[in-house]
Amino acid sequence: IASKYEEIHPPEINDCVYITDNTYSKDEVIRMECSIVRKLDFCLSFASPYLILQRLIRISGMEKQDFFVCQYFLELSFLDYAQLVYKPSILASAAVYFVRKLRGYDVAWPESLELTTHISSSELIKPASKMGRIMVATRNSNFKAIETKFKSLRFMAASEIELHEKI
């Protein structure tokens, strides 16, 4: 099912039968796929924080470099298991809030974003603060992969950006 959903050239049903060493027939594979999809209520994907972040950046009118800084903080937040308590929309919103605050925007969480997300700035303080602590912790650790990735020109040196304010 995942390959049919994600792959450009998904395997054919006969390939699935072959992979199972003919343990299951073509009809059995199809019935099982139908059963799984029905059990999932046809919900085969979710809104990732990255996709939500892209939308928030468009709505807020932030610059491309700030998008990469948001993405940097968002990826850093994936390092901390405690951040999993937050919905993807909260994590993406917290990254935008955090970067807007640190980069000196007039308003850290504008009304346009609050109306779009139905998330208030007060809901973002805790996850955004945690993003800041994660950033500081990773700069002082041996885990440098994300920081190094975002130092590249491809990401406009987002991990080296000047930050104006503490949250």
Side-chain angles (χ1 to χ4, degrees), residues 134-147:
I134 294 167
M135 181 197 68
V136 170
T138 56
R139 285 201 171 157
N140 299 323
S141 76
N142 293 328
F143 303 111
K144 301 284 187 192
I146 295 173
E147 184 180 347

Side-chain angles (χ1 to χ4, degrees), residues 95-109:
V96 170
Y97 171 82
F98 189 49
V99 170
R100 289 181 64 88
K101 190 150 183 79
L102 294 176
R103 296 280 285 153
Y105 281 81
D106 291 337
V107 180
W109 191 243

Side-chain angles (χ1 to χ4, degrees), residues 72-129:
Y72 169 60
F73 284 119
L74 190 58
E75 287 194 26
L76 284 177
S77 73
F78 299 150
L79 295 176
D80 188 350
Y81 186 74
Q83 293 288 77
L84 292 177
V85 300
Y86 300 111
K87 294 178 182 177
S89 58
I90 294 287
L91 287 175
S93 298
V96 170
Y97 171 82
F98 189 49
V99 170
R100 289 181 64 88
K101 190 150 183 79
L102 294 176
R103 296 280 285 153
Y105 281 81
D106 291 337
V107 180
W109 191 243
E111 188 177 349
S112 61
L113 291 175
E114 190 166 339
L115 291 172
T116 301
T117 62
H118 304 287
I119 298 170
S120 68
S121 61
S122 62
E123 295 175 79
L124 301 175
I125 293 171
K126 191 174 179 181
S129 295

Side-chain angles (χ1 to χ4, degrees), residues 26-40:
K26 183 176 177 179
D27 288 339
E28 288 173 314
V29 172
I30 291 170
R31 279 196 311 253
M32 184 52 69
E33 284 181 348
C34 291
S35 174
I36 291 170
V37 171
R38 274 195 301 270
K39 188 70 172 176
L40 293 173

